[in-house]
Each structure stands twice: as C-alpha cells, then as structure tokens.
Amino acid sequence: MGLEAGLGVLLLGLCWAGWAWAGASLVIAGPGGSLVLPLPSQGFTLSWEHSVERTQWRETFVAGPGGRLELVSSEFASAGAGLPDRLEPGDVFSLRNGRMKLTHHHVALPALRLRLSDVSPHRLSVGGRILDLNAIFGEGVVTIRAATNSEEGSDEKN
C-alpha cells in the first residue's frame, strides 16, 4: 500500500476511533491496516463492476444473529457469471428500468473476502459515507465482518 493510501487508512481510523457506538461495528481489514466503522441497522451496501459482464452490481448486507453478515438484497443489470440460478423460499425478484433486483434474500456469512483490483473497483456505502476500497487498500484481499463493541480492536491494527 502506498503512503497516501496508508495515511488514508490511518485518518479514517482516527476519525471513527472516538465515535462511541452502541450497536455492531463493521471491521474492514486489508493490506496495511484496518478500519472499524459504526454499522447502522440498515447495514451497508457494496458495489462493484462485474469483471466479466462489465456491469454494475450492488449488494446490501446487515448484521445478523451471532455477528454474522446477512446478504439481504442484490441488484444487477446482466444475467451471467455469479447470478443466482434459482429463487429460495421468500426471495422476491423484480425487473425495473433494465435492472434486476433480488430482495428478501437471507444468506448468512461469517465474513466477506474480496479481491480488490483495478479490473473491478469496489465501493462500500455505510452510514451515509462512500468508501473507495481500492483507493484505501490498493490491490489485495480485504475481509469485511461485523463485530460487537467488545470485539473491536482486539486483534485489529487501527
């Protein structure tokens, strides 16, 4: 990670370090450091350009039981690699203005692992802020997970 990106991680970490938060937090760990952000009840949205289809994808996650992340909706403009091939009970599929949306989808994950590269830029929207993960962490793998306040910073570098 370059000096600018490292300073960006440090600055973001310092901005949120003193912010007391009663609920869950979002921990993003990647090359050179990590961020701990308040995780509002409406969760966060991850968006990227699909590396094969070259279209925008957007997925929304909330903190689920036991600190797991729960995928609750996906939005995309192309059918292809990575698209669910069937609806699960309770899923709702809609098509509006050329965008397909899958809602009421509940896929629990202990964490997300993303490979960041210039081919597929990733942006994370949380609490009214948009973070360019590629600009912050550079190329490499980042892990995104939910944590309770008692877990924060236990093994993270801020």
Side-chain angles (χ1 to χ4, degrees):
M1 174 171 26
L3 179 60
E4 280 184 15
L7 290 174
V9 170
L10 176 62
L11 179 59
L12 284 169
L14 290 174
C15 287
W16 280 299
W19 188 348
W21 189 259
S25 295
L26 193 63
V27 178
I28 308 164
S34 64
L35 300 174
V36 179
L37 311 171
L39 181 55
S41 60
Q42 69 266 26
F44 67 95
T45 300
L46 184 64
S47 60
W48 69 94
E49 182 176 297
H50 192 285
S51 60
V52 175
E53 303 294 327
R54 310 308 299 171
T55 58
Q56 285 297 118
W57 281 48
R58 185 171 27 250
E59 294 187 324
T60 301
F61 298 84
V62 297
R68 294 173 70 83
L69 292 176
E70 192 170 307
L71 172 63
V72 294
S73 73
S74 300
E75 184 178 332
F76 37 89
S78 60
L83 182 70
D85 60 354
R86 64 185 163 279
L87 295 177
E88 298 296 331
D91 288 353
V92 176
F93 182 84
S94 60
L95 176 62
R96 188 176 306 145
N97 299 326
R99 301 278 304 167
M100 295 172 258
K101 192 167 187 177
L102 180 60
T103 56
H104 304 288
H105 197 59
H106 297 280
V107 177
L109 305 164
L112 295 173
R113 288 181 47 89
L114 307 172
R115 171 78 169 114
L116 301 179
S117 76
D118 291 339
V119 173
S120 183
H122 285 78
R123 288 178 177 65
L124 185 129
S125 301
V126 60
R129 300 180 190 276
I130 299 174
L131 304 175
D132 182 336
L133 296 180
N134 293 63
I136 295 168
F137 293 105
E139 286 205 24
V141 175
V142 297
T143 301
I144 301 172
R145 66 178 180 87
T148 63
N149 279 342
S150 62
E151 291 180 272
E152 282 180 27
S154 60
D155 59 6
E156 301 300 324
K157 298 179 220 168
N158 286 319

